[in-house]
Amino acid sequence: AQTVTQSQPEMSVQEAETVTLSCTYDTSENNYYLFWYKQPPSRQMILVIRQEAYKQQNATENRFSVNFQKAAKSFSLKISDSQLGDTAMYFCARKDNFNKFYFGSGTKLNVKP
Amino acid sequence: EPEVTQTPSHQVTQMGQEVILRCVPISNHLYFYWYRQILGQKVEFLVSFYNNEISEKSEIFDDQFSVERPDGSNFTLKIRSTKLEDSAMYFCASRVPGQAASGANVLTFGAGSRLTVL
């Protein structure tokens, strides 16, 4: 099955601290794309970070970085120096070699002042 | 920054009524998608559309659903006879074509259309 699993329905973190959101997926493909999308309370999903499976180097975007473990089919998101504006629902997603994107069930992140 | 635009932002309808949700994808994007999200639940794939035809659809996308791109800019989702369980947020998304280009595999989402079926 082409599933994406986010095992943490909800997480909390203190402002300025670091938090890691987990994601695992299932695929038999060798090349694919992985994403983390953020959905703030306004509800529009925006791209946070992406990783191409053929690249071994973990992607980073400012305070956001990933730990991509291809053999383990794991793709976690680390948010450093958490800010109040990071409060949102975070979705892990995978694109297959064709046209389809698979989304996880989401992790609700609460950043506390 | 280019945006995917969706209208209406919120629609309330009676069960059994037809609903059309509209989307204007980014102009150079050629792949279009509809997803839905029932409140608090996961984002579910409905359908993908390329070259004026459906390229893939989920089991949710039954005969009550249809999509079309009538005029080269709008991309619409029609629900012929709405049911209570169709109440959800419907997201349109689009992307550029190609596999190798850096932006080709990134979905850009609209803000969503909230559908409430009474």
Side-chain angles (χ1 to χ4, degrees):
Chain A
Q2 306 272 13
T3 55
V4 176
T5 302
Q6 293 179 249
S7 58
Q8 305 148 316
E10 190 163 354
M11 295 186 74
S12 294
V13 63
Q14 288 297 131
E15 196 175 5
E17 293 188 348
T18 296
V19 64
T20 299
L21 280 56
S22 301
C23 174
T24 59
Y25 55 91
D26 187 23
T27 183
S28 57
E29 294 175 336
N30 188 50
N31 196 25
Y32 44 88
Y33 298 82
L34 297 163
F35 309 86
W36 278 97
Y37 278 88
K38 171 185 177 181
Q39 188 183 35
S42 64
R43 303 187 71 85
Q44 180 169 12
M45 275 194 284
I46 53 177
L47 179 70
V48 174
I49 197 167
R50 65 181 173 191
Q51 173 86 38
E52 290 133 335
Y54 63 85
K55 289 186 177 179
Q56 293 185 339
Q57 186 174 6
N58 288 324
T60 63
E61 286 287 341
N62 301 313
R63 296 183 295 107
F64 298 89
S65 62
V66 298
N67 183 5
F68 173 47
Q69 301 288 330
K70 190 171 184 179
K73 296 178 183 173
S74 170
F75 183 61
S76 60
L77 173 70
K78 184 170 86 171
I79 306 174
S80 304
D81 187 25
S82 297
Q83 299 175 0
L84 296 178
D86 294 334
T87 292
M89 196 77 163
Y90 287 81
F91 290 95
C92 178
R94 187 184 74 84
K95 180 191 173 293
D96 65 15
N97 274 323
F98 300 96
N99 203 25
K100 198 164 179 182
F101 290 74
Y102 302 86
F103 284 81
S105 54
T107 296
K108 185 177 181 182
L109 178 66
N110 297 303
V111 181
K112 298 180 178 179
Chain B
E1 178 133 359
E3 290 184 340
V4 174
T5 305
Q6 289 187 243
T7 54
S9 56
H10 188 195
Q11 182 158 355
V12 181
T13 190
Q14 295 291 322
M15 191 168 57
Q17 295 296 306
E18 177 182 282
V19 160
I20 297 176
L21 305 179
R22 291 182 169 79
C23 171
V24 179
I26 294 172
S27 60
N28 65 331
H29 287 191
L30 297 180
Y31 286 92
F32 313 115
Y33 301 76
W34 282 101
Y35 284 83
R36 79 173 185 189
Q37 184 183 29
I38 296 171
L39 185 62
Q41 298 185 24
K42 70 186 298 181
V43 176
E44 298 176 300
F45 169 75
L46 293 178
V47 66
S48 59
F49 190 88
Y50 173 70
N51 200 25
N52 285 320
E53 61 183 18
I54 291 173
S55 53
E56 196 161 359
K57 60 183 180 180
S58 72
E59 61 275 9
I60 302 169
F61 194 88
D62 61 21
D63 292 345
Q64 293 300 310
F65 290 86
S66 63
V67 290
E68 63 175 1
R69 196 151 187 255
D71 56 12
S73 62
N74 290 285
F75 177 52
T76 62
L77 174 69
K78 182 192 290 186
I79 309 174
R80 289 189 183 81
S81 178
T82 50
K83 308 185 193 75
L84 295 176
E85 54 264 36
D86 293 329
S87 294
M89 194 74 157
Y90 288 80
F91 291 102
C92 174
S94 67
R95 69 179 182 94
V96 296
Q99 290 290 327
S102 61
N105 295 293
V106 176
L107 284 179
T108 301
F109 283 87
S113 293
R114 178 174 294 284
L115 176 64
T116 302
V117 182
L118 302 176

